[in-house]
Amino acid sequence: MNTSVARNESELLLESETILDILRARATEQPNRIAYIFLRRGEEEQIRLTYEDLGKRTQAIAAHLQTLTELGDRVLLLFPPTIDFVIAFLGCLRAGTVPVPAYPPRRNQSMSRLETILADSGTNVALTTESLLQGMGERFKHNPTLARLEIVSIDNIDSSKADMWSSPDIGSDSLAFLQYTSGSTGKPKGVMVSHGNLMHNSATIYQCFGHSQESQGVIWLPPYHDMGLIGGIVQPLYAGFPVVLMSPIDFLQKPFRWLQAISRYRATTSGGPNFAYKLCLQKVKRERLHELDLSSWKVAFNGAETVRAETLEWFSNTFQECGFRKEAFYPCYGMAETTLIVAGGALEESPKVTYVDRDAFARHEIVSLSKDLGNSQAIVSCGSTTWLGQTVRIVDPETLISCPPNRVGEIWVSGKSVAQGYWNTPELSDQYFAGYLKDSEEGPFLRTGDLGFLREGELFITGRIKDMFVLRGRNYYPQDIELTVEKSHLALKPSSGAAFTVDIQGEERLAIVHEIEREFRRELNIDEVFGNIRERIKTEHDLSVFAIALTKPGSLPKTSSGKVRRHVCRSGFIEKSLDTISVWKSAGKSGFI
């Protein structure tokens, strides 16, 4: 890139107060540059949008919304993960309204989550497509909560309305959108993300990932979720590079499509949770590797769930013949409450892995061990936390005092990316967004609820406070036990299990729920699976299992981003509402129920 272009781009980013300033500038100054491409079935180009196209279509939607809403009104977005979502989201921002992304309910799916979001946000207007409107119409009509919505199909908005648009009076402090949490641990909460939050986090990602107008993205992540929305839709617009989008369903059905798109479009940035890389390893056939060229991939981000050292190693070794480099892996950490990213590593460096003593780790102490020792446990660094003036502390969640070095504690974050709180719940906002250190009175901090430790400026994530449990005086992280379980038998689907405790006559006991791979459904050696699970957990964690439930393929409760909903699994296990194939209990025998 020549210096004049670089200087102009730098000036644009520095002078823009909101993402809308950037959109208007790109539509005017770079009208013919490609902004978004969407792939039908993850393979065929369905549409290409230039910045000029994007500007016109979003302005028409904004103008129409301004006839129905007031400044700051919430607007529900009900779209499949297509280019229509992108246009509607940006159209809401341009209208001065507050978009509320929500994935449309599937046929025969409960509407309870959607009802909760609608009631909590106070939304009266929804945007969708004509096809979805026809499909949802009858269901909405007979639902008292949803029937009051004024639903607008963006397909029917006249493009000539764009001339009626008036620029809204918004700034960095204005509320940009409500990001409802996945609800994996309870009722979904609306995170209030301001335009200032959006710009600061976009600038952080831009710096962390080394983006420029020469970058190229490929994203399959759901746009209703912070990683897909901020990283996959907002960041390319902020940085001025094109991104290829595909449906997460198309990726899950055939992971090869993701890698194929990276190869075809010479993508430099793409990624997802750890399970996405594992899925590629399990489903991409070795005889097809010669079709891929992954040498352009510079930032293979990995976040949203525990980053596994063995996954990084396995993926790197498998796809190195396609040009993939281990240095491209970019473990990172973030959450909706911080807009997105909190920590990220250095570019062009292999991920940093530390090995700790498993017994000390169970006491929340970090004692280094050699990789080769049998009692060692690998933990992957999520990188530095010092981007753009951000502050991270490791705090004892009970005493509210900073933890000493080599001690696991709760991760507290402060900075301009930290959101404004939870919508309409001031007490909850005070509980999580107003943390102050008891000894120094430093604050306010966001209390993330995540556990981790700092070492040499690097952040290591160990789990969540609410998910961690104590058995026989030792701390256990469910994800460690879940990994042991999934590796115990080929019939167990990776990243599709939940470990938790249940109260049995006043004593906490370990229970396991795990989904079966579809190809093993008809020929499943139940007793062998149960036996392997019990043996591996006893060997690796010195624990006895009270109960194991094997569920049918595709039935395990998960969030829109693919994370297992442990608390829902636990409730389903206790209430016997899971779609199980077989259940084993220590006091009884296995069998079909």
Side-chain angles (χ1 to χ4, degrees), residues 286-312:
R286 193 160 193 88
E287 55 265 30
R288 298 203 67 181
L289 294 185
H290 73 278
E291 301 176 36
L292 300 173
D293 180 358
L294 305 179
S295 60
S296 64
W297 204 353
K298 295 180 179 178
V299 182
F301 58 85
N302 186 331
E305 64 180 20
T306 304
V307 180
R308 295 290 182 185
E310 61 181 25
T311 303
L312 306 184

Side-chain angles (χ1 to χ4, degrees), residues 241-296:
F241 65 82
V243 62
V244 176
L245 303 173
M246 69 172 68
S247 166
I249 296 173
D250 292 332
F251 159 70
L252 292 171
Q253 288 177 342
K254 192 176 178 182
F256 184 79
R257 290 167 172 157
W258 176 35
L259 304 182
Q260 185 180 46
I262 292 171
S263 179
R264 174 183 173 187
Y265 290 94
R266 311 301 301 141
T268 60
T269 300
S270 192
N274 195 79
F275 85 85
Y277 296 98
K278 289 180 69 173
L279 199 61
C280 289
L281 289 163
Q282 293 149 7
K283 302 297 183 182
V284 175
K285 296 179 179 178
R286 193 160 193 88
E287 55 265 30
R288 298 203 67 181
L289 294 185
H290 73 278
E291 301 176 36
L292 300 173
D293 180 358
L294 305 179
S295 60
S296 64

